[in-house]
Amino acid sequence: MNKVKMASEKSVTNNSRIVSLLAQLEKINADCLVDADNARYVTSKILHLAQSQEKIKKDMMAKGSTGIEVILSTLENTRDLQTTINILNILLELVAVGGNRRTSVLVSRGGTQILLQLLVNASKESPPNEELMVLLHSLLAKVGPKDRKFGVKARINGALNITLNIVKQNLQNQKLILPCLQVIRVYSTTSVNAVSLGKNGVVELIFKIIGPFSKKNTGLMKVALDTLAALLKSRTNARRAVDRGYVQMLLTIYVDWHRHDSRHRHMLIRKGILQAIKSITNIKLGRKAFLDVNGMKILYNTSQECLAVRTLDPLVNTSSLIMRKCYPKNRLPLPTIKSAFHFQLPIIPVNGPVYQLYSLPPEVDDVVDESDDNDDTETESEIENDNEEDFDQNFKNDDIETDINKLKPKHELGRPFEDLKMYEQFFPEFTEDFQECDLISKEPKPLSTNITQGGPIVVPTAEVEQSPVNHAIEIPVKETHPLQTEDCNKRPIFLGLVKNDNSMDNTLQHHSDQMNLLPSCQCLNHEIIKDFDKISLQNTSKSEQSYTSKAITKKECKSSLSEITCNKSFQHVSSCGGVLFEGRSVQLGKLCCSGPDPEEEDVSCSVSVEEQVMPEVPDALQLHDPELYIEIVKNTKSVPEYSEVAYPDYFGHIPPPFKEPILERPYGVQRTKINQDIERLIHPNDIIDRVVYDLDNVSYPVPDEGDVLKFNSKFESGNLRKVIQIRKNEYDLILNSDINSNHYHQWFYFEVSGMRAGIAYRFNIINCEKTNSQFNYGMQPLMYSVQEALSGRPWWIRVGTDICYYKNHFSRSSIAAGGQKGKSYYTITFTITFQHKDDVCYFAYHYPYTYSALMMHLQKLESTHNPQQIYFRQDTLCETLSGNSCPIVTITAMPESNYYEHICQFRNRPYIFLSARVHPGETNSSWVMKGTLEYLMSNTASAQSLRESYIFKIVPMLNPDGVINGNHRCSLSGEDLNRQWQNPNLDLHPTIYHAKGLLQYLAAIKRLPLVFCDYHGHSRKKNVFMYGCSIKETMWHTSAASCELIEDLGYRTLPKILSQTAPAFCMSSCSFVVEKSKESTARVVVWREIGVQRSYTMESTLCGCDQGKYKGLQIGTYELEEMGAKFCSGLLRLKRLTSPQEYNLPSTLFEIENELIESSCKVTSSNGQQPVIPIA
């Protein structure tokens, strides 16, 4: 206790002493003539206290203390050398610990200017005092980085040459030149200073300091190299270094240190040399010099020797960056980066990228890189970063809309009502009287509580006496011919629908671990098809290929396929010139040459379904009909006039009975792949460089060797333009641009055959454009094996190892990069080991979902629904540019009877407007839509309640042409359709023009949808989430005041419900900010112009989930379809929460209500009054 008391008394004493000493020093400063002896004594005492007690330093730098001002004032005024040295030591002590904040305080008090002026004054002494210069430069080296204007201040004061001359005159004095070099490095952060120092010979001076391996002066060597790297960031200095041959000198020094530093004690020096080389190679001249002196081979060999030592990874990574930068920029091996297919537009836009594309002179080579210097800021991390960066979480302030007038909804129709009356034909529910329909009940029943008693039947037309169908329609409309079957009145059970009527949360139940072999696949066994190169499905009967539940014997298999004709003339792939019309056959791609084991064939064809060992999926392909699919394909119009059908689209897909975890990438895999790419330059004789597939050259020689893979993409949604064999088992793949575009390379879908089992094949897709991808964070591409499908496993699975996504050495044309020069493409690389010899496999960016598959599913839904229970109508919204129909679907519940009250309830149901697949490459949005459609058409109590609650208007595919032709983002107009909603062109964007017209019509008749949602896919984020629109949340992200804004928070209700009910949905990833770059998207336009408060984009990940039930798993079609169903159940809960009166639901549905949802999302007031729902 006494010791503590003594320590406390001592602290108080010391504190009072420092206050007294500072007061004495301040008094000395006030005198006209500074008392040198007294000042020297006081400053020495202060220095002693600062060195002995940390608390003294804290007190002197504390907020409100005048100690630092007194010290700096004394330093500025004193002419005594010892006093100056004492004060410099005091300042060094103050910034030694906790330096960042304390140094900033020193700068804010004007310390930089005082120190620089002291340097100028001290330099006038001849010779200058060495101790003073060491202390002064040591302090400047610490202060300079914290002063943003340090470089300017130093140049104005003339300090640059003073420091440089000291170095020149004291090259052998390590103690003095070490802090001087540190200050020169800080000077050089300003480019003007770096150029000025370079002209005065600083680069040559530093090369006198650095040299071969030596155990002496290693600290000086490290500082000199760091300073050199900073100086060489100036292009002028870099050119000077190249002219003097310093590139070769640096490489020689690096090799010497690499060889002699066997214990790796001087890794920082070796890295410093590499940093200097990296700075020089930022200019084109430096890269050329590096290549001329064989720098690629030198760094490649040294980095390979460092791989075994993990602590040397910084050297390996820096070497890799240098080699990648210096790798000669190559043009893509294409005649043009424009699409291999051409479609003539009806009109040419007057501006924009499509106009520029059409305006290019014929002699312009759009593949050549036009940049002189690749001086891009490095986007690559020197160390492989395994932490995923969220590119969309942080908004750029300059992209957020801050104009409150632009944020406020306009509620403008944009078109006269007489023009909008053309859309009456798509709303027959307003005039349908159901007098001739066989409804469930003919007797009138009490109305539900949410119907206005005695309310009028709303017929929102301008002329009541006329039927909407009497108006002249200018939209080109195809007649819909629904598939009629004898089972049309049966109530279907579809894939992923509710297993138990008592629970909505049981929707999309996962498949059991046992599944039966699909009979149609059993028939296509090896013995039957092994001699067929092509199969024509023109004459195949439905009974021969439909999925049945009875056992099929081997004999029946043979006879069922005996009518299939063989087209021997197609040895590999048919040309893409066949026209799809009535009477022409559609071809399946070449089947695998070796099928299941012959001993297993009898089993696979004769064992009944119940005896199979595969998981049972009786409803898995209920909507899939191979024959119907073929018939639809014949009427699907593609630009290349495809005549082949991919086997996955013919066989169909069911979710595999196992989970697929997000792939953990091995450490260093990207570095290994890059090194293999660099080996192409170092060992060019090892490269085969042989074209094995080429859409631009139809006469390319098809390889006939048994060990060369064969490729094909000439089928619906296919995308693969060119394949080059690089090594025996390595291939470079080039994707096709979107038609009428010169970029958007990401979606791929192609066929591979001729493989050997157990061999690792590497595929490199070399012309991707996005700067990052989920392929770096666990996502795998998808593969479909025909042999596996024939064996009863018809599913897409995630495959591939050593997957990574990185910048490559192929230059992007400035034309395609929006005028930016020096941009590069990116590579997706993955390695595949096939299980079966001579299999036929398909690879895709994500689960394919073709236009023909959609049309097949819609026809099956229409033909199998219960017309007494479900009101289902499929119309053609319009025709696309290439003449394909864009379907629009109406789904709701049939009225209970054709009595007045029930017809009234039917017509007054609120609308839900859904759309999907505006971006063709986002196939996951179609799978979500499939789940939505199947849920809405199911025969469960919850689905029926949902249909009774709403009328659904659904455009399931907004961009049919893009989907059909394998585009990634655009339509045939070469434009992103989701950027055309503000002012769509009838001739170029018909689907958007008419989809917006439907919404404008609903707004005109005061029947705004309660919810608008556009389904999308997201390539760089995980989970499923929503983007909405909020004025207040947009203003929160800016400096604009938002506290006075009053906004209904109803837009948050549906996402909050989904976050509690849908396992894949993540509320924290949702955003309700309106960005300028998104002002022409569907979400923003429908919110701002149409006036729908709950206007959303629902984004589904292409990769997987990092939260919830599916955390750590890649997303599959099961989870996507489940999300579509959960969205529907969320709408049912939204209906209850937003009903003006108590919503009458079955008791089973009340049990489902989640108390958490009830408490956190309830939008009704405590007294039960109607909430604010601004839908007008």
Side-chain angles (χ1 to χ4, degrees):
M1 187 70 182
N2 290 334
K3 290 184 178 180
V4 173
K5 185 176 181 180
M6 290 174 60
S8 176
E9 290 176 353
K10 184 177 181 181
S11 175
V12 172
T13 303
N14 287 335
N15 188 49
S16 60
R17 285 192 64 190
I18 192 67
V19 172
S20 174
L21 289 170
L22 288 172
Q24 293 181 46
L25 195 59
E26 186 175 11
K27 185 177 179 181
I28 293 173
N29 291 335
D31 296 339
C32 296
L33 297 175
V34 176
D35 186 348
D37 292 336
N38 198 10
R40 193 180 305 139
Y41 172 78
V42 172
T43 54
S44 65
K45 291 297 183 181
I46 294 174
L47 175 61
H48 175 73
L49 287 174
Q51 290 174 335
S52 60
Q53 284 206 25
E54 176 64 25
K55 189 175 185 306
I56 296 297
K57 292 184 279 187
K58 288 182 180 179
D59 292 340
M60 291 180 65
M61 301 295 290
K63 188 176 181 180
S65 172
T66 59
I68 192 68
E69 286 92 341
V70 173
I71 295 293
L72 289 174
S73 176
T74 306
L75 179 64
E76 188 176 16
N77 295 325
T78 186
R79 296 293 179 268
D80 180 65
L81 177 62
Q82 188 58 50
T83 301
T84 302
I85 291 174
N86 287 344
I87 293 176
L88 291 177
N89 277 310
I90 292 171
L91 293 175
L92 282 172
E93 285 291 333
L94 292 177
V95 300
V97 181
N100 288 340
R101 189 191 66 81
R102 295 180 182 180
T103 305
S104 298
V105 172
L106 185 59
V107 171
S108 66
R109 301 295 194 276
T112 304
Q113 185 61 42
I114 294 173
L115 292 173
L116 289 172
Q117 188 59 50
L118 178 60
L119 175 62
V120 173
N121 295 336
S123 67
K124 296 176 182 178
E125 300 290 334
S126 183
N129 185 274
E130 180 178 327
E131 184 181 4
L132 178 62
M133 286 300 176
V134 169
L135 291 173
L136 195 51
H137 281 92
S138 299
L139 196 54
L140 284 171
K142 291 181 177 294
V143 171
K146 296 299 176 183
D147 191 339
R148 294 181 179 180
K149 297 183 179 180
F150 181 76
V152 177
K153 294 175 182 178
R155 186 170 65 254
I156 293 174
N157 282 278
L160 303 184
N161 289 331
I162 294 174
T163 303
L164 181 58
N165 288 331
I166 292 174
V167 176
K168 288 180 178 180
Q169 297 167 9
N170 298 273
L171 280 177
Q172 304 304 318
N173 189 340
Q174 179 183 350
K175 180 181 178 182
L176 178 57
I177 66 173
L178 183 62
C180 291
L181 289 175
Q182 292 175 330
V183 175
I184 290 176
R185 182 179 59 188
V186 182
Y187 290 159
S188 302
T189 55
T190 305
S191 58
V192 177
N193 290 353
V195 172
S196 176
L197 289 167
K199 289 180 179 179
N200 290 323
V202 68
V203 175
E204 294 83 353
L205 190 64
I206 292 179
F207 271 96
K208 293 180 181 179
I209 299 174
I210 64 175
F213 177 80
S214 173
K215 294 182 179 180
K216 298 179 180 179
N217 301 330
T218 54
L220 178 62
M221 178 79 171
K222 173 65 176 62
V223 172
L225 288 169
D226 291 343
T227 305
L228 179 62
L231 287 164
L232 293 177
K233 289 181 180 179
S234 160
R235 292 189 177 188
T236 303
N237 291 339
R239 292 191 191 100
R240 182 176 287 105
V242 172
D243 293 340
R244 285 162 175 73
Y246 290 154
V247 175
Q248 185 171 12
M249 185 182 299
L250 285 170
L251 285 169
T252 303
I253 294 174
Y254 179 73
V255 171
D256 188 68
W257 279 86
H258 172 78
R259 289 175 179 172
H260 290 90
D261 186 25
S262 57
R263 297 187 178 181
H264 313 303
R265 293 178 176 176
H266 305 294
M267 189 191 71
L268 292 179
I269 291 178
R270 294 157 67 180
K271 186 178 179 182
I273 301 171
L274 291 175
Q275 292 288 358
I277 297 173
K278 180 183 171 187
S279 296
I280 292 180
T281 52
N282 278 336
I283 64 171
K284 188 175 182 179
L285 193 63
R287 295 192 293 273
K288 182 179 182 301
F290 178 82
L291 293 173
D292 290 343
V293 296
N294 209 15
M296 293 288 283
K297 191 171 184 178
I298 292 172
L299 289 193
Y300 175 81
N301 291 334
T302 54
S303 61
Q304 291 298 303
E305 294 171 6
C306 294
L307 287 175
V309 184
R310 186 73 175 266
T311 56
L312 297 182
D313 278 356
L315 301 182
V316 177
N317 292 325
T318 307
S319 297
S320 178
L321 283 177
I322 296 170
M323 289 187 287
R324 292 173 67 185
K325 184 163 51 175
C326 294
Y327 200 113
K329 291 292 181 182
N330 295 336
R331 54 179 289 162
L332 282 174
L334 295 173
T336 174
I337 55 174
K338 290 182 288 189
S339 175
F341 307 128
H342 176 70
F343 180 83
Q344 184 60 45
L345 295 175
I347 60 172
I348 306 300
V350 296
N351 51 37
V354 180
Y355 166 77
Q356 295 174 2
L357 199 67
Y358 273 83
S359 303
L360 286 177
E363 66 275 6
V364 172
D365 187 348
D366 60 359
V367 185
V368 172
D369 175 32
E370 299 178 358
S371 68
D372 293 328
D373 282 333
N374 184 1
D375 196 24
D376 291 341
T377 302
E378 283 293 340
T379 59
E380 309 288 343
S381 173
E382 294 188 18
I383 301 176
E384 285 195 50
N385 185 6
D386 292 328
N387 297 322
E388 179 177 358
E389 295 183 19
D390 190 343
F391 289 84
D392 299 280
Q393 193 67 31
N394 299 319
F395 297 96
K396 296 181 179 179
N397 284 332
D398 58 353
D399 191 35
I400 298 178
E401 184 58 74
T402 57
D403 188 340
I404 191 69
N405 294 320
K406 291 184 178 180
L407 286 173
K408 288 181 179 179
K410 300 177 183 178
H411 299 185
E412 297 177 356
L413 291 182
R415 293 167 64 181
F417 183 72
E418 288 299 318
D419 186 19
L420 294 174
K421 284 169 65 178
M422 65 192 301
Y423 298 106
E424 288 179 353
Q425 65 164 326
F426 297 107
F427 298 92
E429 57 268 22
F430 290 151
T431 56
E432 185 74 62
D433 57 13
F434 301 99
Q435 295 303 315
E436 299 179 0
C437 297
D438 184 18
L439 299 177
I440 297 175
S441 173
K442 289 290 185 181
E443 299 297 327
K445 295 181 180 180
L447 295 178
S448 299
T449 57
N450 61 337
I451 303 174
T452 304
Q453 298 289 337
I457 299 178
V458 179
V459 184
T461 58
E463 302 173 77
V464 180
E465 67 275 11
Q466 290 187 352
S467 173
V469 297
N470 294 330
H471 293 290
I473 306 299
E474 298 179 357
I475 312 176
V477 178
K478 282 190 175 182
E479 207 174 305
T480 303
H481 299 285
L483 181 68
Q484 300 295 331
T485 69
E486 60 184 6
D487 297 328
C488 63
N489 292 326
K490 293 182 179 179
R491 302 172 71 178
I493 303 175
F494 298 109
L495 165 66
L497 298 184
V498 179
K499 184 177 180 181
N500 190 325
D501 289 354
N502 293 330
S503 175
M504 287 194 307
D505 290 334
N506 288 333
T507 50
L508 289 167
Q509 290 295 324
H510 204 13
H511 306 291
S512 62
D513 293 335
Q514 302 296 318
M515 182 182 68
N516 293 317
L517 190 62
L518 301 176
S520 66
C521 293
Q522 297 167 3
C523 296
L524 294 173
N525 62 71
H526 165 62
E527 184 173 335
I528 299 167
I529 53 82
K530 62 183 179 182
D531 296 325
F532 291 177
D533 285 337
K534 294 290 172 182
I535 296 181
S536 170
L537 297 175
Q538 184 178 3
N539 301 320
T540 309
S541 65
K542 182 177 180 180
S543 61
E544 292 165 355
Q545 296 182 20
S546 62
Y547 290 84
T548 63
S549 60
K550 64 181 180 179
I552 300 179
T553 64
K554 183 174 180 180
K555 180 178 179 180
E556 289 172 335
C557 293
K558 291 181 178 180
S559 62
S560 67
L561 286 179
S562 62
E563 299 177 22
I564 298 179
T565 61
C566 173
N567 297 316
K568 289 277 189 176
S569 59
F570 296 87
Q571 293 302 318
H572 173 52
V573 290
S574 63
S575 66
C576 60
V579 182
L580 298 178
F581 60 88
E582 197 65 35
R584 291 294 297 272
S585 63
V586 177
Q587 309 296 330
L588 276 175
K590 183 172 69 173
L591 281 172
C592 44
C593 297
S594 63
D597 190 283
E599 296 179 358
E600 298 176 356
E601 290 184 21
D602 291 330
V603 176
S604 64
C605 285
S606 61
V607 178
S608 65
V609 172
E610 289 75 11
E611 296 172 359
Q612 297 299 320
V613 295
M614 299 304 296
E616 182 178 358
V617 282
D619 306 316
L621 294 179
Q622 193 87 358
L623 294 183
H624 191 82
D625 185 331
E627 181 192 358
L628 176 58
Y629 185 85
I630 293 298
E631 291 304 315
I632 291 175
V633 168
K634 291 179 181 179
N635 296 313
T636 299
K637 300 173 184 177
S638 62
V639 174
E641 298 180 336
Y642 291 132
S643 60
E644 294 182 35
V645 174
Y647 276 99
D649 303 327
Y650 174 73
F651 286 152
H653 159 80
I654 59 175
F658 48 83
K659 299 296 184 182
E660 297 177 289
I662 291 174
L663 186 69
E664 292 187 10
R665 191 169 76 175
Y667 179 83
V669 63
Q670 178 171 309
R671 186 173 61 197
T672 301
K673 296 295 183 182
I674 292 171
N675 284 340
Q676 291 175 3
D677 290 348
I678 292 170
E679 288 174 2
R680 300 187 190 187
L681 184 67
I682 298 174
H683 306 295
N685 294 333
D686 296 342
I687 304 304
I688 298 174
D689 198 25
R690 175 189 182 185
V691 177
V692 297
Y693 182 73
D694 193 354
L695 286 183
D696 294 289
N697 179 17
V698 294
S699 61
Y700 73 94
V702 179
D704 53 3
E705 293 90 338
D707 58 349
V708 179
L709 296 180
K710 299 172 180 61
F711 295 82
N712 182 30
S713 62
K714 299 174 185 176
F715 45 79
E716 185 176 348
S717 294
N719 190 318
L720 180 64
R721 181 171 185 169
K722 190 172 186 177
V723 180
I724 303 171
Q725 185 180 17
I726 300 301
R727 299 180 178 94
K728 183 177 180 181
N729 298 318
E730 181 179 355
Y731 297 83
D732 279 357
L733 284 62
I734 302 176
L735 304 180
N736 196 21
S737 302
D738 285 4
I739 294 176
N740 277 317
S741 172
N742 54 15
H743 55 146
Y744 297 119
H745 311 99
Q746 207 77 18
W747 166 257
F748 57 88
Y749 182 19
F750 57 88
E751 172 195 293
V752 179
S753 59
M755 67 284 293
R756 292 179 295 166
I759 301 296
Y761 293 90
R762 177 182 172 183
F763 296 108
N764 311 305
I765 300 174
I766 63 174
N767 64 330
C768 299
E769 295 173 347
K770 293 190 176 182
T771 57
N772 207 343
S773 168
Q774 284 291 322
F775 282 115
N776 275 336
Y777 308 108
M779 187 169 84
Q780 295 174 280
L782 286 141
M783 187 185 81
Y784 191 105
S785 165
V786 172
Q787 285 212 31
E788 289 293 299
L790 297 179
S791 301
R793 295 178 286 276
W795 47 59
W796 288 94
I797 58 171
R798 302 275 188 170
V799 295
T801 58
D802 296 343
I803 302 171
C804 52
Y805 186 96
Y806 57 89
K807 185 192 292 185
N808 60 34
H809 59 276
F810 290 102
S811 292
R812 288 186 65 189
S813 164
S814 61
I815 297 172
Q820 299 181 59
K821 297 182 179 181
K823 297 298 180 182
S824 296
Y825 286 105
Y826 288 76
T827 292
I828 300 172
T829 181
F830 55 93
T831 300
I832 297 292
T833 302
F834 297 100
Q835 295 184 9
H836 307 288
K837 181 177 182 290
D838 292 328
D839 196 356
V840 177
C841 294
Y842 292 80
F843 292 91
Y845 181 62
H846 199 66
Y847 300 93
Y849 191 101
T850 64
Y851 169 79
S852 297
L854 170 68
M855 301 305 288
M856 174 188 65
H857 290 158
L858 291 180
Q859 287 200 30
K860 295 291 287 185
L861 287 172
E862 184 170 10
S863 66
T864 56
H865 81 281
N866 184 348
Q868 290 185 324
Q869 191 177 31
I870 303 174
Y871 181 93
F872 179 95
R873 181 182 174 92
Q874 178 185 344
D875 297 295
T876 296
L877 176 63
C878 63
E879 283 194 348
T880 65
L881 293 180
S882 63
N884 295 292
S885 62
C886 178
I888 178 170
V889 175
T890 304
I891 301 175
T892 188
M894 293 290 283
E896 291 188 41
S897 72
N898 53 20
Y899 282 83
Y900 173 87
E901 293 84 355
H902 293 148
I903 300 297
C904 176
Q905 191 275 345
F906 173 85
R907 293 178 179 175
N908 282 280
R909 294 168 186 164
Y911 276 92
I912 303 292
F913 199 106
L914 306 178
S915 61
R917 205 67 182 280
V918 70
H919 294 146
E922 297 169 6
T923 58
N924 47 357
S925 65
S926 282
W927 289 100
V928 176
M929 180 58 75
K930 181 173 181 285
T932 294
L933 289 168
E934 291 183 8
Y935 185 96
L936 290 174
M937 297 296 290
S938 66
N939 58 357
T940 63
S942 58
Q944 179 63 17
S945 296
L946 187 62
R947 290 190 294 266
E948 292 173 353
S949 301
Y950 300 109
I951 299 175
F952 288 85
K953 288 291 181 183
I954 302 173
V955 185
M957 191 171 285
L958 280 167
N959 192 351
D961 287 345
V963 172
I964 293 167
N965 293 284
N967 285 4
H968 175 66
R969 196 167 184 87
C970 300
S971 69
L972 292 186
S973 70
E975 298 168 295
D976 182 348
L977 291 184
N978 202 36
R979 296 297 185 274
Q980 310 304 323
W981 279 79
Q982 270 189 327
N983 188 26
N985 185 289
L986 175 60
D987 297 314
L988 294 176
H989 327 117
T991 60
I992 304 303
Y993 182 86
H994 292 301
K996 184 178 181 181
L998 292 175
L999 290 160
Q1000 290 171 321
Y1001 176 74
L1002 286 173
I1005 63 174
K1006 309 302 181 185
R1007 292 293 300 273
L1008 278 178
L1010 179 66
V1011 172
F1012 170 84
C1013 190
D1014 190 20
Y1015 293 179
H1016 281 254
H1018 207 288
S1019 65
R1020 293 194 279 188
K1021 292 179 71 173
K1022 290 184 170 67
N1023 309 311
V1024 181
F1025 52 94
M1026 277 181 161
Y1027 292 135
C1029 301
S1030 164
I1031 299 177
K1032 195 160 189 174
E1033 294 197 33
T1034 301
M1035 304 303 284
W1036 280 342
H1037 284 81
T1038 67
S1039 57
S1042 61
C1043 57
E1044 297 181 358
L1045 291 174
I1046 299 176
E1047 187 175 36
D1048 179 16
L1049 298 179
Y1051 63 88
R1052 277 186 164 267
T1053 308
L1054 182 57
K1056 187 66 177 177
I1057 291 172
L1058 293 177
S1059 71
Q1060 300 294 338
T1061 59
F1065 196 88
C1066 179
M1067 186 68 187
S1068 62
S1069 296
C1070 295
S1071 171
F1072 304 94
V1073 174
V1074 179
E1075 299 165 273
K1076 296 176 184 177
S1077 60
K1078 305 296 178 63
E1079 62 182 4
S1080 57
T1081 61
R1083 163 178 62 98
V1084 177
V1085 170
V1086 173
W1087 169 72
R1088 180 181 292 167
E1089 295 184 19
I1090 309 299
V1092 178
Q1093 183 203 26
R1094 295 180 177 87
S1095 179
Y1096 305 105
T1097 297
M1098 186 163 74
E1099 301 273 2
S1100 299
T1101 179
L1102 291 165
C1103 178
C1105 299
D1106 57 12
Q1107 54 84 45
K1109 175 182 175 182
Y1110 300 130
K1111 182 177 181 180
L1113 298 177
Q1114 295 187 77
I1115 203 160
T1117 56
Y1118 166 79
E1119 291 78 19
L1120 293 169
E1121 291 184 51
E1122 178 190 56
M1123 187 64 236
K1126 292 294 186 182
F1127 181 84
C1128 293
S1129 62
L1131 291 173
L1132 192 58
R1133 298 188 181 206
L1134 178 69
K1135 174 66 176 178
R1136 174 168 185 191
L1137 293 172
T1138 57
S1139 293
Q1141 301 176 15
E1142 184 65 22
Y1143 187 49
N1144 188 21
L1145 293 175
S1147 58
T1148 54
L1149 294 179
F1150 277 107
E1151 296 173 1
I1152 300 171
E1153 285 292 348
N1154 187 309
E1155 293 301 326
L1156 184 57
I1157 297 292
E1158 190 78 281
S1159 61
S1160 62
C1161 296
K1162 197 167 183 63
V1163 296
T1164 53
S1165 59
S1166 58
N1167 58 7
Q1169 294 181 351
Q1170 179 178 346
V1172 179
I1173 308 175
I1175 60 174

